[in-house]
Amino acid sequence: MKTSYFIQEYCHIQNGAIWRNGESLYSNGETDFKTFIKAAYKTLDLDYSKFFKMDHLSKLAFIASDLLLSSDTEKNTALVLSNRAASLDTDRKHQKSIENENGYYPSPAVFVYTLPNICLGEISIKHQLFSENAFFVFEQFQAAYLHDYASSLLDMGRAEKVLCGWVDMDDEKYDAFLYVVAKNGIFAHSKEKINQLYQTPWQI
Amino acid sequence: MHSVYLSHNNIVSGYGLDAKDAVENIRNESTGLRSVSDAEILPHPICTSRIDSDVLQNTFMELQPKEAYTRLEQLLILSLKETIKASQLKLTDRVGLIVSTTKGNIDALEPQNPFPESRAYLSRLGEKIRTFFGFQNEAVVLSNACVSGVLALAVAKRFVLQGTYDHVFVAGGDLVTKFILSGFQAFQALSEEPCRPYDKNRTGINIGEVGASVLVTKDKALLAKESVVLLGEASCNDANHISGPSRTGEGLFRSIEAALKQSGLHANEIDCISAHGTATQFNDEMEAIAFNRARLQGTPINSLKGYFGHTLGASGLLETILGMHSLDQNTLFASKGFQELGVSQPLNIIETTTPKQMTTFLKTASGFGGCNTAAIFKKVFL
């Protein structure tokens, strides 16, 4: 008999608003990502200077993960994130910096963010997680693969909890939905429930 | 619990279109790295290993493709084609596809590239490969920096054990592009000469290009002569720095310990190590520290980067496939480019091709984002 797992907590960041467990935490109606995420950082009272060096994808993943991990003492939490655009938002910046000979200015500080899993590194550093990491890319949100992979990590004892979800950043369009899978929680860890929560940030 | 095996495999590389071509050349300690002048990539010569464009194009056209495919798609398709054919497996809904890549069709961002920018989306790459062969479910694209290739094998095993699939084809590849080279050059990590992992006079990395693929299965009836069982695998983050490895080798050490524990083996039962060995000062030093902490300093170890350069999203997969052949041939492959130890801790670097009876090997990789992966394999047919 397989152990059943639960969704312990979840959060959304989209359209200038932040929700946690179905409740609105912050909303400023701001559509410009840079302005929005900076305001969110201030409102959430975070004090982490590395934040300002991050690219947009990492900032999005960082804020979303902090909503779920900052009060959690479990350190064996695996990180399993996914999205559609990988790191294309920053890839385009690096590409621009190498396009013509006269304006050739590739920067290590930009180049390092041309990998989607860098945001997993940023989360790991902030929360001191020496845990399993994986970054998947799908055409759209894929509950089934995330569900099976998280269950596998828990079944095999590779992690006590798994932070799962979707963090997509593509040319000003952004969308984050993260949830924690654990041995206790509010919802059953099923593909249907994951999809339902993904589609409805507000309380059901 | 089921055992999960690695079986039929293929490597499309500068050595040829088959894993055998690569294995033969490595046995002979013959590097695939060449100095190449290509002004479209970098203004000065680079040291790299690539597949000849005419050979690639001509071989691919024999498949009579119905639409235009990018260079990377051609590499992956050519490699997978052989692996699928050798397995004789029908692509039902029980067969999955994992594509391991760091940058995919990133060259589609170049203004002069004939493909639209949308081709740079990694899911598009997965979809092109999926539809070419007719896999029934969406491809899983794994993009986890330089550990992608070996992590993809761990992911495949986990999907098999979880019952998502019975068999998974894993394909890995990345291109040598201006995008990648300009970035590594900005880090001052590129060497203009063939790289020399762990050597005192090492001068940095080379970037190379391969397409590699393998069948991961729980079905013993589908095994190849060089098949191995994946006994243990783990991936641990350094939680330290996004572009520099941990000074204590923390994540790599933890990955090795966890993989050993799962495999049920002790460190002294590992017959050889296929390490990451990029030939940068920081990476090689970090690995030496981690291997010593894991009491593996006496175990024969190589880096195969001196043959191919760093093949990014393919590297962990490529080097695992070569590890399978190394076990099968009971031969330790030399760590090309090594002469004199250039790390602060002892390592038993394989200096020349050497026969040795072997049953197990450890594959490790580490990458940007602080990621590390270790996997332990055991020969099936002794």
Side-chain angles (χ1 to χ4, degrees), chain A residues 23-118:
Chain A
E23 285 172 26
S24 170
L25 273 192
Y26 175 72
S27 171
N28 68 355
E30 181 61 65
T31 48
D32 174 57
F33 180 77
K34 227 182 203 164
T35 321
F36 162 70
I37 207 73
K38 202 172 159 191
Y41 173 87
K42 279 189 181 158
T43 310
L44 297 169
D45 206 19
L46 294 165
D47 181 18
Y48 194 70
S49 59
K50 282 195 186 105
F51 176 80
F52 297 99
K53 292 182 186 164
M54 295 178 195
D55 76 337
H56 286 179
L57 176 65
S58 283
K59 279 180 177 162
L60 180 65
F62 177 85
I63 296 283
S65 60
D66 213 71
L67 295 168
L68 304 182
L69 296 181
S70 59
S71 59
D72 200 326
T73 53
E74 177 58 59
K75 290 298 171 194
N76 191 7
T77 300
L79 307 177
V80 181
L81 300 190
S82 58
N83 75 7
R84 177 170 183 270
S87 55
L88 269 176
D89 192 64
T90 297
D91 296 351
R92 294 186 186 105
K93 290 192 183 101
H94 177 66
Q95 178 63 34
K96 226 174 170 180
S97 75
I98 60 169
E99 226 151 73
N100 61 63
E101 276 167 50
N102 302 327
Y104 187 83
Y105 53 93
S107 144
V110 173
F111 182 66
V112 69
Y113 285 101
T114 62
L115 292 163
N117 67 298
I118 296 300

Side-chain angles (χ1 to χ4, degrees), chain A residues 114 133 137 145 148-149 170, chain B residues 103 121 138 158 164-165 237:
Chain A
T114 62
N133 284 189
V137 182
Y145 284 131
D148 289 4
Y149 193 65
D170 191 0
Chain B
K103 296 310 314 159
Y121 284 85
E138 181 174 352
R158 291 162 183 179
T164 315
Y165 291 116
N237 199 284

Side-chain angles (χ1 to χ4, degrees), chain A residues 2 50 84-88 90-92 94-95 98-100 104 106-109 111-118 120-122 124-125 128-140 142 144-145 147-149 151-153 155-156 158 170, chain B residues 42 102-103 106 109-111 117 120-124 137-145 151 155 157-159 161-162 164-165 178-180 182-187 233-243 250 254 258-259 262 368-369 371:
Chain A
K2 282 199 170 177
K50 282 195 186 105
R84 177 170 183 270
S87 55
L88 269 176
T90 297
D91 296 351
R92 294 186 186 105
H94 177 66
Q95 178 63 34
I98 60 169
E99 226 151 73
N100 61 63
Y104 187 83
S107 144
F111 182 66
V112 69
Y113 285 101
T114 62
L115 292 163
N117 67 298
I118 296 300
L120 305 177
E122 296 285 15
S124 301
I125 294 166
Q128 283 300 292
L129 305 175
F130 299 91
S131 53
E132 284 275 346
N133 284 189
F135 203 103
F136 297 112
V137 182
F138 301 116
E139 184 59 35
Q140 55 189 347
Q142 255 279 12
Y145 284 131
H147 171 273
D148 289 4
Y149 193 65
S151 303
S152 163
L153 291 173
D155 280 351
M156 293 169 82
R158 274 280 163 266
D170 191 0
Chain B
L42 277 187
T102 64
K103 296 310 314 159
I106 194 65
L109 294 190
E110 294 167 3
E117 202 224 27
Y121 284 85
L122 298 186
S123 56
R124 200 60 60 88
N137 296 311
E138 181 174 352
V140 174
V141 179
L142 179 72
S143 185
N144 218 90
L151 181 58
V155 171
K157 173 179 171 179
R158 291 162 183 179
F159 280 136
L161 290 180
Q162 199 60 28
T164 315
Y165 291 116
K178 186 176 180 182
F179 186 101
I180 286 293
S182 62
F184 278 105
Q185 198 186 36
F187 268 103
E233 71 291 330
S235 193
C236 297
N237 199 284
D238 284 333
N240 176 64
H241 198 279
I242 54 165
S243 60
E250 197 60 36
R254 287 178 186 234
Q262 189 188 8
F368 276 173
C371 52

Side-chain angles (χ1 to χ4, degrees), chain B residues 73-122:
Chain B
E73 288 157 6
Q74 294 183 18
L75 277 174
L76 293 172
I77 289 170
L78 277 179
S79 179
L80 259 177
K81 178 96 186 158
E82 293 306 314
T83 300
I84 295 171
K85 195 169 124 194
S87 75
Q88 300 185 317
L89 199 56
K90 203 170 157 237
L91 300 183
T92 67
D93 64 352
R94 300 301 303 152
V95 182
L97 170 65
I98 297 179
V99 176
S100 163
T101 186
T102 64
K103 296 310 314 159
N105 289 317
I106 194 65
D107 50 334
L109 294 190
E110 294 167 3
Q112 69 277 22
N113 190 286
F115 290 90
E117 202 224 27
S118 59
R119 200 67 160 235
Y121 284 85
L122 298 186

